[in-house]
């Protein structure tokens, strides 16, 4: 029997939390032979803690063999204690008519305290994934508080965008989803993101040649993927939850699986012209469980360069908005 992994999750009583916890406890994130201890951190508000209690009752009622223990707390020092993975979901979602960056003022400060506490009390091999929006800049804020942990320990999620892009491409080409590969997201989890269709493949062959429709790939496709979150809010009256939880399962599982190549928002070191010290979506290859290297040197034409410059500009602007919060 493997040693249990300690997985801290913020916002476990929220929408994404409800779609996420059961999948982790059933082994879909860390594998069918990896026991887990869920450390569930909510806000110290009666309604939230009561909802969390109910979710934990349901987890009990699933009798998941891999679920060794659960901790319910509103104290970050308890929630993040010895955590091997911290999944930072807890934050305000946007409503209709808002952009994700409008959440920075309210949500940014959450990531200051959580960054400090994780740095102090999480496990020596701590890994952190940020979902709460605006995810890229929140990861950068939390990392700015690290003294012990290095910035490569914290990533933000653009996997939902990769999954969205892949489905749109498969539908347009009229091929099964499994035929489409190498779909990577560059930049911010916002409408400026670049879904790099020029690198994508259908059955191993360049996708643009197979699919044609250059205008669609540069226009409607980018817009559909970039604005999908807003379209879901408009249709559902609430932001994406099950698909976001699913993307987080993919994000962490692939970061724990050596050899996987996938889109992750990581600290830039200037790759593809991104400003150093923004967290930008890029293709990475998982090297050892929890560690990765950015895939460098992929070809970029003028269109791709222009898109990357625009999403980089937005990330730099977001960083400037919160510069007073950074250490
Ligand atoms: P929700 O309002 O349903 O749930 C959020 C939960 O977080 C609530 O239970 C709340 O009490 C809790 N919370 C708030 N502050 C907290 C804190 N400081 N510590 C611990 N818990 C805290 O929202 P949701 O739909 O689950 O979405 C959560 C976040 O994820 C939002 O910011 C949303 O925009 C974002 N999101 C990101 C992606 C992505 O692809 N990156 C996708 C979907 C949603
Ligand atoms: C999404 O992409 O669905 C989430 O980031 C929620 C949102 O605000 O769009």
């Amino acid at each position: 029997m493997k040693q249990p992994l300690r997985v801290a999750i913020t916002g476990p009583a929220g929408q994404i939390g409800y779609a996420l916890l059961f999948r982790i406890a059933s082994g879909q994130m860390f594998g069918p032979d990896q026991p887990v201890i869920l450390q569930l951190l909510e806000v110290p508000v009666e309604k939230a803690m009561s909802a969390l209690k109910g979710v934990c009752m349901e987890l009990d009622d699933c009798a998941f063999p891999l679920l060794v223990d659960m901790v319910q707390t509103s104290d970050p020092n308890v929630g993040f204690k010895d955590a091997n993975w911290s999944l930072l979901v807890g934050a305000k979602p946007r409503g209709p008519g808002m952009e994700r960056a409008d959440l920075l003022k309210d949500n940014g400060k959450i990531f200051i305290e959580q960054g400090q506490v994780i740095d102090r009390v999480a496990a020596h091999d701590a890994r952190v994934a940020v979902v709460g929006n605006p995810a890229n800049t929140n990861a950068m804020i939390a990392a700015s508080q690290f003294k012990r942990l290095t910035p490569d320990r914290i990533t933000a999620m653009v996997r939902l965008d990769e999954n969205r892009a892949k489905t749109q491409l498969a539908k347009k080409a009229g091929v099964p989803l499994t035929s489409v590969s190498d779909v990577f997201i560059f930049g911010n989890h916002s409408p400026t993101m670049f879904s790099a269709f020029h690198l994508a493949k259908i059955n191993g062959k360049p996708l643009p040649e197979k699919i044609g429709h250059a205008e669609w790939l540069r226009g409607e496709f980018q817009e559909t993927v970039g604005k999908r979150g807003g379209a879901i809010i408009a249709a559902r009256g609430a932001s994406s939850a099950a698909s976001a939880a699913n993307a987080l399962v993919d994000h962490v599982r692939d970061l724990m699986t050596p050899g996987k190549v996938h889109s992750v928002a990581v600290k830039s070191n200037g790759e593809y012209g991104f400003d150093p010290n923004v967290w930008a979506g890029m293709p990475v290859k998982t090297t050892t469980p929890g560690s990765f290297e950015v895939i460098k040197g992929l070809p970029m034409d003028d269109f791709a360069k222009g898109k990357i410059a625009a999403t980089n500009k937005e990330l730099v602007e977001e960083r400037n908005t919160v510069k007073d919060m950074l250490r």
Side-chain angles (χ1 to χ4, degrees), residues 18 22 35 76 128 132 158 178-179 208 211 215 221 224 239 243 246 268 299 305 309 321 327:
Y18 195 69
F22 299 85
V128 185
V158 288
T178 47
S179 306
I211 203 172
E215 214 172 291
F221 168 61
T224 302
S239 78
S243 57
N246 177 67
S268 149
K305 284 181 189 158
T321 309
R327 235 215 269 270

Side-chain angles (χ1 to χ4, degrees), residues 94 100 133 160-161 164 189 228-230 232-233 239-240:
R94 65 175 164 150
R100 298 182 188 95
N133 276 321
L160 181 52
D161 311 303
R164 287 168 172 166
H189 174 60
R228 186 71 163 183
I232 288 169
I233 292 171
S239 78
S240 65

Side-chain angles (χ1 to χ4, degrees), residues 3-16:
Q3 276 289 102
L5 271 182
R6 291 185 172 273
V7 187
I9 300 149
T10 67
Q15 283 203 96
I16 296 176

Side-chain angles (χ1 to χ4, degrees), residues 267-280 312 315-316 319:
K267 181 186 175 300
S268 149
N269 287 304
E271 299 92 344
Y272 299 102
F274 282 111
D275 193 288
N277 211 25
V278 297
W279 261 247
N312 177 58
L315 284 165
V316 170
R319 188 181 64 203

Side-chain angles (χ1 to χ4, degrees), residues 77-90:
N77 289 291
V78 175
F80 295 122
K81 180 87 183 116
D82 298 329
N84 305 106
W85 270 93
S86 297
L87 310 179
L88 306 187
V89 177

